[in-house]
Amino acid sequence: MARILHNNTWYSPIDSASMYESLYESKILNSSDFLFPGYFCLPFKKQVESIYGPAIPDLVLIDREYREWIVVEVELEHHSLKGDVLDQVVKFAAGDYTISHADYLLAKDNSLDLEKLRLLVTGSRPKISVVVPVQ
């Protein structure tokens, strides 16, 4: 079985069925500086409205230069792409992002620049990413 050595610690893959999504989200957040250099990585549990209905994402990545942002859905590999995952991605892509979303994110990290964040969130469409642990 493949392993990864990082900072003198060996990491081995585990079966995604043996963990909860919230645990996986926590692991991503705790390693976000290593995984997503150049981005703020924050929880993003604020409902997004769209013409397809509401959905709640898991995380958001915000470029530290405020050039782009990425709405992230965290899923486990045993969940089917069709149905829930694809449905959420469509809703996030068509989402109506408002100042209240920017304010929510500022409350998660007050080092963010509120004016730049509001312009980014209300003035540009986010990219959408699904993060899945795979063995």
Side-chain angles (χ1 to χ4, degrees):
M1 177 181 292
R3 297 187 308 160
I4 296 174
L5 177 64
H6 177 65
N7 289 340
N8 294 320
T9 302
W10 284 100
Y11 295 90
S12 299
I14 62 171
D15 183 359
S16 74
S18 69
M19 74 171 111
Y20 293 108
E21 279 184 16
S22 59
L23 174 62
Y24 186 52
E25 287 173 32
S26 256
K27 290 180 178 293
I28 292 169
L29 285 167
N30 290 338
S31 303
S32 64
D33 288 342
F34 173 73
L35 294 170
F36 310 110
Y39 288 85
F40 297 100
C41 181
L42 306 167
F44 190 32
K45 300 290 188 178
K46 181 153 177 69
Q47 185 167 293
V48 175
E49 300 293 335
S50 80
I51 61 172
Y52 303 105
I56 299 175
D58 295 314
L59 304 172
V60 67
L61 298 173
I62 301 166
D63 176 78
R64 291 186 180 272
E65 301 296 323
Y66 300 90
R67 295 171 293 198
E68 69 174 354
W69 63 302
I70 305 165
V71 171
V72 179
E73 179 62 20
V74 175
E75 287 296 335
L76 300 178
E77 67 184 358
H78 61 276
H79 290 173
S80 172
L81 176 62
K82 289 186 178 179
D84 189 47
V85 178
L86 188 55
D87 183 53
Q88 288 179 306
V89 168
V90 167
K91 290 174 181 179
F92 299 146
D96 181 23
Y97 298 94
T98 66
I99 287 175
S100 69
H101 290 96
D103 294 345
Y104 172 91
L105 294 170
L106 181 68
K108 296 293 180 188
D109 184 343
N110 64 7
S111 73
L112 294 167
D113 182 309
L114 180 58
E115 183 177 328
K116 289 179 181 178
L117 183 61
R118 283 182 170 177
L119 284 171
L120 180 67
V121 169
T122 62
S124 66
R125 303 296 307 160
K127 294 180 180 177
I128 313 298
S129 181
V130 178
V131 177
V132 181
V134 193
Q135 290 196 48

